[in-house]
Amino acid sequence: EKQAAKDVAARAKQESALAASAEKARIQAAIAQNTKEKQERAGAVKLEAAREAASKVKAAKVEAERAEQAIQAAIRQERAKKAQVLEVIRQAKVVEAEAARAEQLVAAAAKDAKAKQDIAKQETAKAADAKKASTDADNARKAAVKKKAQALDAANEAALKEKV
């Protein structure tokens, strides 16, 4: 009876060990499955982050191109304004010269000449205002160049983040 009890106890111990081993194996399988799922989710998150970074880089490049186009448009406008300023100044000088000649030639037409001279002075003032506007346009162009540089820096930083 003692031997039979020992055998039963030994079998119970073996079955208990097998059950514990099976439970341990089941837990390890669950941990492995959980780890696999986490890795898959992490891979999906990394892929999404890479796609998002690529999208941001593309958007930054588009923005940089727009900034470049805006700079070129500002340069064209500035050149056109400078040409207008020069033409107004030239016309003002012509009018001033005509007014001076008329004053020398005819004493009776002095009032007319004076009016033309006043007009010429006003045009010269307008030309000075136009020159100031041209300077303002140049400052705006410089600001646009600065913004373009910032956009390119942002694009480079996004590209660097994408690589990392």
Side-chain angles (χ1 to χ4, degrees):
E1 285 178 17
K2 284 183 182 181
Q3 185 61 36
K6 282 182 181 178
D7 289 346
V8 168
R11 266 192 238 124
K13 235 182 193 182
Q14 284 178 343
E15 287 177 12
S16 173
L18 282 174
S21 176
E23 180 63 18
K24 189 175 182 180
R26 187 189 64 76
I27 290 171
Q28 287 176 343
I31 290 172
Q33 179 64 28
N34 191 16
T35 303
K36 182 180 176 187
E37 289 173 1
K38 284 181 181 178
Q39 288 174 345
E40 288 174 356
R41 283 193 297 265
V45 167
K46 284 180 184 176
L47 181 62
E48 182 61 29
R51 285 182 184 156
E52 189 176 325
S55 173
K56 287 180 180 179
V57 168
K58 187 176 180 180
K61 286 181 181 177
V62 168
E63 193 61 34
E65 288 175 12
R66 286 184 187 154
E68 177 64 28
Q69 291 172 356
I71 289 168
Q72 293 302 323
I75 289 171
R76 284 192 296 277
Q77 288 176 350
E78 180 185 341
R79 287 180 183 157
K81 285 181 181 180
K82 283 183 180 179
Q84 290 173 347
V85 166
L86 292 175
E87 179 60 23
V88 169
I89 289 171
R90 189 190 64 75
Q91 289 176 358
K93 287 181 180 178
V94 168
V95 170
E96 283 183 81
E98 288 176 4
R101 272 186 244 117
E103 194 173 337
Q104 292 171 357
L105 295 175
V106 184
K111 288 182 184 180
D112 254 355
K114 182 146 178 50
K116 285 184 180 180
Q117 201 171 22
D118 289 344
I119 290 171
K121 286 179 183 176
Q122 288 174 358
E123 287 181 8
T124 303
K126 287 179 187 175
D129 288 346
K131 187 171 184 180
K132 182 185 181 304
S134 174
T135 302
D136 291 347
D138 188 43
N139 291 340
R141 180 190 61 79
K142 288 177 184 175
V145 168
K146 191 180 237 183
K147 285 192 183 214
K148 176 188 173 189
Q150 289 173 349
L152 288 175
D153 287 346
N156 288 337
E157 182 178 324
L160 182 63
K161 285 183 181 177
E162 180 182 357
K163 286 180 183 177
V164 169

